[in-house]
Amino acid sequence: MTAPDQGDLVHTALLERLERVDLPTLGHLLEEGFVDPAVRRLGQPRRMAGTAATLALDAPDATALNHALVALRPGEVLVVDMGGDHTHAPIGAVTIAAARARGAAGIVVDGVVTDVDMLTDPHFGLPVHARGTSCLTTKRLDGRGGRHQVPVDIGGVRVAPGDLVLGDANGVIALPPAALAAVVHQAELSDAAEPELLRRIRAGEDLRTLLHLG
């Protein structure tokens, strides 16, 4: 049996830590990587954390999307750049089932999705973030309408294959592992201190002694 790659172990450990960090805490520490809030959670109401597998869809080509689905590896987040097309939905019941079968951690679409009831189904759905829903879908074209594993633009954020993608009800963050590794410890400390701060505020302590006032 081949020993696990040290880099993979570090990557996995970082993801596990980030899964426990409150995402708005990262908003206190970072300025980059925050996807346009119009891209919001429409799928299962749980945390999404994984490694980006990207697709730039240059045409409403369902076949190109299917190629990306079968290439997914466990723990990856499929990140789909629709090239400004916010009318054709590339993700629906079948694609969600396929992504789940491949072990995907979630899906982010800079565009719309369909079959929204299936996205949230606890037995078949996944964490899915998109701009909205539509009944108009992609079509079975020749499969040449997409580029796989290339840098893509998602809600104003450049996402490269291998970046880490995090999502919850507050939004989506996508950054290289090194950028998140640099702040994860500070985020953990902040999260650990917050319950006591909230307790003291609720107890009526003087806010001038609790809040940062410069």
Side-chain angles (χ1 to χ4, degrees):
M1 179 181 295
T2 303
D5 180 82
Q6 187 63 32
D8 290 341
L9 292 175
V10 171
H11 186 92
T12 300
L14 175 60
L15 264 177
E16 289 175 351
R17 293 172 69 185
L18 289 167
E19 285 175 353
R20 296 188 292 269
V21 166
D22 191 23
L23 296 192
T25 300
L26 297 174
H28 295 313
L29 305 172
L30 297 164
E31 278 294 322
E32 304 297 326
F34 297 89
V35 171
D36 186 334
V39 178
R40 62 192 189 278
R41 186 170 69 188
L42 297 175
Q44 280 191 347
R46 60 183 175 87
R47 175 73 72 91
M48 176 181 69
T51 304
T54 64
L55 171 66
L57 210 55
D58 303 313
D61 190 340
T63 308
L65 182 78
N66 289 343
H67 284 291
L69 286 168
V70 299
L72 278 175
R73 296 180 296 182
E76 289 186 326
V77 174
L78 179 60
V79 180
V80 184
D81 180 353
M82 293 298 293
D85 180 353
H86 296 165
T87 56
H88 290 87
I91 299 298
V94 172
T95 46
I96 283 292
R100 183 162 176 151
R102 295 297 297 169
I107 297 175
V108 178
V109 181
D110 195 344
V112 294
V113 295
T114 196
D115 296 330
V116 67
D117 290 338
M118 180 65 78
L119 307 187
T120 57
D121 188 291
H123 302 293
F124 303 104
L126 276 176
V128 176
H129 295 253
R131 289 183 178 270
T133 61
S134 176
C135 296
L136 178 63
T137 68
T138 52
K139 304 297 189 286
R140 293 179 178 177
L141 304 181
D142 61 12
R144 292 182 290 182
R147 292 169 287 123
H148 303 269
Q149 297 294 60
V150 298
V152 295
D153 291 300
I154 303 293
V157 174
R158 192 72 163 169
V159 183
D163 283 354
L164 299 187
V165 184
L166 313 172
D168 67 7
N170 300 293
V172 177
I173 302 170
L175 282 167
L180 289 164
V183 298
V184 65
H185 180 62
Q186 191 175 351
E188 290 168 333
L189 293 176
S190 178
D191 280 353
E194 186 171 285
E196 175 62 13
L197 176 59
L198 291 172
R199 186 198 66 76
R200 294 173 67 185
I201 292 173
R202 291 164 181 158
E205 288 193 35
D206 189 341
L207 294 180
R208 290 172 296 180
T209 67
L210 297 176
L211 301 182
H212 176 72
L213 298 178

